[in-house]
Amino acid sequence: MTTPDPWPAPRAHAPVDLAVSLPGSKSLTNRALVLAALADGPSVVRRALRSRDTLLMAGALNALGAAIDVSGDDWAVTPGPLRGGSQVDCGLAGTVMRFVPPVAALAEGDVAFDGDPHMRNRPVGAMLAALRTLGVRLDDTDRLPFTLHGTGSVAGGEVVIDASASSQFVSALLLAGARYEKGVDVRHDGKPVPSQPHIEMTVAMLRQHGVEVDDSDANRWSVAPGTVRAVDHLIEPDLSNAGPFLALAAATGGRITVRDWPQRTTQGGDALREILTAMGCGVTLTEDGLTVTGPERLQGVDLDLHDVGELAPVVAALCALAEAPSHLRGIAHIRGHETDRLTALATELNALGAEVTEHDDGLSFRPAPLRGGLFHTYADHRMAHAAVILGAVTDGVLVENVATTGKTFPDFPGHWSGLFTAAG
């Protein structure tokens, strides 16, 4: 495996005591952009996250006929007639690969989808099958690349889907469903849907746009046909991206405040408050933000992260530093994220001296002293987040391809290094 320009993770030689401001939420930004492109008039996405994933989403929607101005901090969106004859680059963005095809189905003409090589391994087949059930013409494939043959409208109606691999399958259909002739009635049939807070986020945003959504039955979501009202959005800080910063306080026994943490939110990253409390941290939420104070020794935990799998790499890094055994479970689905995160975490943590056992749906940890070495990221931003936490308290940790963090956090290496300069 090639290791271009490994990045020396900064080392904290004392407990940190800092306040940080974070970029906006990728999940909120990309949902807001899709709804704005389908709306009945212009709107603005304020404090939009500017990252690779969100720029790919803006580019995809522009290719389909929307006009999205990304030149400032606030992105103006003007819907336009949806058109085909375009190509969509999904990069490594699951939200682009899954949210855009249901929108492209409303265009007239062919729309071709492809992305980075690894994206061709990420699951999308269940959603493509659902679109076929709803009357959309697609290539006979269940992976990237594929071409959608739009006819300008979608019949919609009832569809049964197995969304156990990704909650994004459900969100994708709901986001565009109001524009379908019969709306959409999505029923899940399979193992429990992971990352339920992300579906709740989608439903909440649809209702803000005046869309009628019935989610009163378990594993069923119904969107009535109708207008998507134009609404301006103010994007919250990305709480999942807060993970490495709050973990820095936990790992060093220091204190970090993340400014502007919302008092109420649909973001799954808010679960960090409960997780860090369980590990022995002090956690306080005020109008100024969320403050985490690390303990003298991190406690081991037994956690089901099924609904917040994106937090698993950061939590795994802390478990490797805890003084007692830990077990993370309910996260078999993160094998289908940017990389197989369970295998990747077990491999890289063990290479640094940790004692990690991989299971079908999780990881077990036993206390062990860590050492320096090269931590591979597998082009996965969350793996890089785990690496820098370990590097903050372990000499000689080198991070391969730290630039992959640009997926959801522009200039993360510079921002992270600046914390150590500020801490003296």
Side-chain angles (χ1 to χ4, degrees):
M1 183 179 295
T2 59
T3 54
D5 302 322
W7 185 69
R11 180 77 159 84
H13 295 285
V16 298
D17 189 357
L18 300 163
V20 297
S21 297
L22 300 182
S25 161
K26 178 204 72 174
S27 297
L28 289 171
T29 298
N30 275 357
R31 283 166 174 77
L33 290 175
V34 170
L35 290 169
L38 293 170
D40 62 355
S43 60
V44 179
V45 180
R46 304 190 187 282
R47 297 186 190 173
L49 170 66
R50 179 183 299 276
S51 71
R52 189 185 182 209
D53 274 21
T54 57
L55 291 171
L56 284 167
M57 180 63 83
L61 296 170
N62 279 332
L64 292 176
I68 302 177
D69 181 356
V70 300
S71 59
D73 293 336
D74 301 334
W75 293 4
V77 183
T78 304
L82 294 173
R83 60 173 183 261
S86 55
Q87 296 184 340
V88 170
D89 177 10
C90 301
L92 277 172
T95 50
V96 176
M97 179 177 69
R98 294 163 183 155
F99 291 1
V100 177
V103 177
L106 293 162
E108 187 165 357
D110 291 353
V111 181
F113 290 81
D114 204 354
D116 291 4
H118 182 71
M119 282 297 279
R120 297 176 181 179
N121 298 320
R122 294 192 69 182
V124 71
M127 194 203 68
L128 299 182
L131 287 176
R132 293 186 189 101
T133 299
L134 296 171
V136 179
R137 291 178 54 226
L138 283 151
D139 288 351
D140 184 17
T141 182
D142 63 356
R143 302 280 177 176
L144 284 174
F146 59 82
T147 299
L148 184 150
H149 310 285
T151 60
S153 65
V154 178
E158 295 184 3
V159 63
V160 178
I161 186 171
D162 181 354
S164 57
S166 176
S167 67
Q168 290 178 359
F169 296 161
V170 174
S171 288
L173 297 170
L174 301 184
L175 286 168
R179 292 284 301 273
Y180 294 176
E181 294 171 9
K182 301 176 185 177
V184 69
D185 186 348
V186 182
R187 305 184 189 205
H188 164 68
D189 183 14
K191 295 178 180 179
V193 180
S195 305
Q196 282 275 3
H198 283 97
I199 298 178
E200 295 166 7
M201 175 188 293
T202 298
V203 170
M205 294 182 74
L206 282 165
R207 288 172 173 156
Q208 289 172 13
H209 283 263
V211 175
E212 182 181 337
V213 185
D214 182 353
D215 63 346
S216 57
D217 293 340
N219 294 318
R220 181 179 179 182
W221 305 265
S222 180
V223 173
T227 300
V228 179
R229 189 174 68 241
V231 174
D232 292 348
H233 284 279
L234 178 62
I235 302 300
E236 300 172 358
D238 193 315
L239 305 190
S240 294
N241 272 341
F245 297 91
L246 298 178
L248 180 61
T252 65
R255 180 175 63 182
I256 282 189
T257 297
V258 174
R259 300 187 184 96
D260 302 319
W261 194 283
Q263 297 292 315
R264 299 181 64 182
T265 182
T266 56
Q267 291 190 64
D270 195 45
L272 285 166
R273 293 194 289 153
E274 182 178 349
I275 291 168
L276 292 172
T277 298
M279 300 195 81
C281 297
V283 179
T284 305
L285 178 62
T286 67
E287 291 184 357
D288 294 330
L290 182 73
T291 299
V292 168
T293 304
E296 289 187 14
R297 294 180 180 86
L298 281 169
Q299 299 174 13
V301 288
D302 186 337
L303 297 174
D304 186 336
L305 299 181
H306 183 262
D307 285 346
V308 288
E310 72 271 20
L311 303 180
V314 160
V315 178
L318 291 178
C319 289
L321 299 171
E323 68 170 1
S326 294
H327 184 63
L328 305 181
R329 49 195 165 82
I331 45 177
H333 61 283
I334 72 173
R335 294 186 184 278
H337 283 194
E338 281 77 347
T339 189
D340 179 340
R341 284 180 175 165
L342 292 182
T343 296
L345 285 166
T347 300
E348 299 308 315
L349 290 170
N350 284 330
L352 298 187
E355 290 190 17
V356 183
T357 302
E358 178 183 350
H359 305 286
D360 288 344
D361 78 333
L363 301 167
S364 294
F365 303 79
R366 293 185 62 82
L370 300 186
R371 57 178 178 267
L374 182 64
F375 193 104
H376 298 97
T377 62
Y378 307 85
D380 186 337
H381 58 140
R382 304 292 184 201
M383 289 293 293
H385 291 171
V388 298
I389 296 164
L390 299 174
V393 293
T394 307
D395 290 331
V397 173
L398 302 174
V399 186
E400 174 260 342
N401 189 18
V402 72
T404 193
T405 51
K407 174 181 169 67
T408 58
F409 197 125
D411 191 27
F412 175 85
H415 201 97
W416 186 259
S417 296
L419 298 179
F420 296 81
T421 302

